[in-house]
């Protein structure tokens, strides 16, 4: 089979880690007889520098015509002072909207070999944790009406959180479908003691739950959830939540794994090509040094094989190679112990390729 992949290398360490993921995909292609055809396009700071626009039309068109999008990371302090519509973040938000990517899947699990990197005490971590954050990605406050109005107290800025039943229903369905494939437990996170939008959220989640009687459903306020993921992360299976809460909680959970350089993500729509990217940022401080951890992007490529192309065996092969390499004690700089040796981006990529 031939698969067309739009590649957005992005800024900072993006190009380095995406190159690694492509090497892995090419090896998988050879092994399993698939052809991956890449088309590179610009987005983020790189696109702003080249065209004065963080998300050029051509990028959107190429992404729409592909079977999937592989993205490195965008942004960096270089572009921090640009006006809102020119900032690299607009590229990410714009791609999500243009491609209709309303579901963001962010796994946060503790890799056995990296247990020591988890900042929690071992009695709390127990047998480890494996959480799937299902974050709504094209609604809520990030896409609501916003502006500045004059008031008696001077200018006042506002950002509005809105959720329609349709938006909640479709993301809830994804959450329940994921729960069915996992441990059949779903925690929906909201702030329904205060927010009207959260009350609607909770009501619709309960309605969707009727179709999934096997899934155990729980509701949790976001402030409590922020505490519970630190108090007892093992209690969560699928954590379903809004755009804003999911943004924050997924970063919190990523820290518990002790290794933000390890975590992939998938953003999916109804019919559009999915977008796959590491959850870490562009890390401008280490860009170009060849020491970035490529694993999050390599695992994002594995998610692409699994969710966009339905290539389960191939995805398993990558994930198991990553685990083996970690079990063998190989580390990049970000996950090494004090005074331990570390591999460069390229060396880690080679090690994973040899293990596949
Ligand atoms: C993320 C990022 C984005 C978000 C930014 C870059 C707009 O932080 O993917 O979590 O907040 O959604
Ligand atoms: Mn974020």
């Amino acid at each position: 089979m031939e698969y067309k992949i739009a590649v957005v290398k992005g800024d900072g360490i993006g190009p380095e880690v995406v190159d690694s993921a492509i090497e892995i995909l090419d090896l998988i292609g050879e092994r399993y007889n698939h052809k991956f055809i890449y088309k590179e396009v610009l987005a983020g700071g790189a696109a702003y520098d080249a065209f004065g626009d963080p998300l050029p039309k051509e990028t959107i068109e190429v992404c729409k015509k592909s079977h999937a999008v592989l993205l490195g990371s965008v942004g960096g302090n270089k572009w921090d002072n640009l006006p809102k519509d020119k900032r690299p973040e607009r590229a990410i938000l714009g791609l999500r909207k243009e491609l209709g990517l309303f579901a963001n899947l962010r796994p946060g699990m503790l890799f056995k070999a990296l247990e020591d990197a988890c900042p929690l005490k071992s009695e709390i971590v127990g047998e480890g944790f494996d959480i799937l954050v299902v974050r709504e990605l094209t609604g809520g406050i990030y896409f609501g009406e916003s502006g500045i109005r004059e008031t008696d107290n001077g200018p006042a800025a506002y950002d509005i959180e809105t959720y329609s039943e349709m938006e909640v229903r479709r993301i809830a369905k994804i959450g329940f479908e994921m729960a069915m494939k996992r441990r059949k437990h779903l925690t929906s996170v909201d702030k329904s003691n205060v927010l009207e939008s959260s009350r609607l959220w909770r009501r619709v989640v309960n309605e969707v739950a009727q179709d999934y009687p096997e899934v155990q459903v729980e509701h949790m306020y976001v402030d409590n959830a922020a505490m519970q993921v630190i108090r007892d992360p093992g209690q969560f299976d699928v954590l379903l939540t809004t755009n804003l809460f999911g943004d924050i909680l997924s970063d919190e959970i990523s820290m518990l794994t002790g290794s933000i350089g390890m975590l992939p993500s998938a953003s999916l729509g109804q019919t559009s090509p999915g977008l796959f990217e590491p959850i870490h940022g562009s890390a401008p401080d280490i860009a170009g040094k060849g020491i970035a951890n490529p694993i999050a992007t390599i695992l994002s490529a594995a998610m692409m094989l699994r969710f966009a192309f339905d290539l389960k065996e191939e995805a398993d092969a990558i994930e198991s190679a990553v685990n083996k390499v970690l079990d063998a004690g190989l580390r990049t700089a970000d996950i090494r112990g004090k005074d331990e040796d570390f591999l460069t981006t390229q060396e880690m990529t080679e090690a994973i390729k040899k293990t596949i």
Side-chain angles (χ1 to χ4, degrees):
M1 229 341 244
E2 276 190 9
Y3 299 97
K4 277 193 258 167
I5 304 173
V7 176
V8 182
K9 293 188 176 178
D11 308 317
I13 57 171
E16 300 160 53
V17 291
V18 168
D19 284 344
S20 292
I22 288 179
E23 280 189 46
I24 303 289
L25 283 173
D26 283 340
L27 178 66
I28 291 284
E30 256 169 54
R31 276 292 152 78
Y32 293 85
N33 216 3
H34 306 299
K35 198 163 168 35
F36 300 118
I37 302 161
Y38 311 100
K39 173 111 175 118
E40 205 181 312
V41 278
L42 295 182
Y48 175 79
D49 287 348
F51 309 114
D53 179 357
L55 185 57
K57 283 223 163 51
E58 195 217 333
T59 299
I60 300 172
E61 287 317 309
V62 169
C63 290
K64 280 187 177 164
K65 284 194 201 121
S66 307
H67 296 113
V69 182
L70 181 66
L71 189 143
S73 56
V74 300
N77 19 24
K78 183 177 167 198
W79 302 282
D80 271 354
N81 295 320
L82 290 173
K84 183 174 151 186
D85 64 325
K86 300 283 185 209
R87 291 177 60 104
E89 289 80 3
R90 292 321 295 176
I92 296 275
L93 295 169
L95 272 176
R96 288 173 183 165
K97 201 66 178 178
E98 289 285 345
L99 300 177
L101 305 172
F102 65 87
N104 188 212
L105 311 182
R106 297 189 166 186
M109 62 282 186
L110 192 60
F111 290 84
K112 259 270 163 263
L114 294 181
E115 259 168 16
D116 291 346
C118 174
L120 299 180
K121 291 202 183 97
S122 56
E123 352 23 313
I124 292 176
V125 174
E127 288 301 295
F129 55 87
D130 177 3
I131 306 173
L132 180 68
V133 176
V134 176
R135 168 189 176 194
E136 199 291 325
L137 205 58
T138 50
I141 194 165
Y142 289 12
F143 289 94
E145 193 193 323
S146 69
I148 298 190
R149 61 169 171 257
E150 288 307 320
T151 72
D152 293 344
N153 298 321
Y158 60 94
D159 301 271
I160 297 181
E161 169 97 345
T162 309
Y163 269 113
S164 68
E165 283 194 8
M166 178 279 285
E167 286 173 311
V168 181
R169 187 164 293 119
R170 67 183 180 181
I171 190 68
K173 270 191 190 154
I174 301 267
F176 281 99
E177 291 294 332
M178 291 294 147
M180 285 299 289
K181 291 191 190 138
R182 294 168 50 99
R183 302 190 301 279
K184 300 197 169 82
H185 182 231
L186 180 143
T187 309
S188 173
V189 172
D190 63 36
K191 186 72 184 170
S192 62
N193 50 343
V194 179
L195 303 177
E196 197 60 48
S197 53
S198 278
R199 282 192 278 276
L200 182 139
W201 178 279
R202 191 176 280 215
R203 174 170 61 73
V204 176
V205 169
N206 279 331
E207 282 168 23
V208 176
Q210 304 296 316
D211 298 334
Y212 299 89
E214 283 176 59
V215 178
Q216 191 197 334
V217 188
E218 210 180 323
H219 298 277
M220 205 178 264
Y221 297 141
V222 63
D223 44 356
N224 184 26
M227 182 181 84
Q228 293 296 337
V229 295
I230 287 177
R231 202 188 64 81
D232 177 18
Q235 72 182 285
F236 294 98
D237 176 14
V238 170
L239 194 160
L240 168 71
T241 193
T242 64
N243 203 342
L244 173 65
F245 298 159
D247 189 17
I248 299 166
L249 289 174
S250 61
D251 267 26
E252 187 190 2
I253 292 166
S254 79
M255 265 331 281
L256 299 185
T257 69
S259 46
I260 194 164
M262 309 279 301
L263 299 179
S265 78
S267 303
L268 309 173
Q270 218 77 266
T271 51
S272 50
L275 183 148
F276 302 84
E277 59 175 325
I279 75 155
H280 60 67
S282 56
D285 52 323
I286 57 161
K289 293 190 179 155
I291 57 166
N293 186 349
I295 291 179
T297 315
I298 290 171
L299 291 176
S300 300
M303 285 188 98
M304 177 166 90
L305 298 178
R306 187 182 304 284
F307 290 107
F309 308 154
D310 214 12
L311 299 175
K312 184 173 175 305
E313 200 183 325
E314 291 81 341
D316 286 345
I318 296 179
E319 286 164 5
S320 112
V322 167
N323 275 314
K324 280 192 195 136
V325 162
L326 293 172
D327 285 342
L330 303 183
R331 301 282 183 268
T332 42
D334 56 316
I335 50 173
R336 76 185 195 278
K338 233 174 139 215
D339 306 323
E340 248 174 34
D341 278 344
F342 66 89
L343 302 186
T344 62
T345 310
Q346 192 53 40
E347 286 165 346
M348 180 55 97
T349 309
E350 290 301 329
I352 294 171
K353 278 164 71 180
K354 273 199 209 110
T355 315
I356 286 179

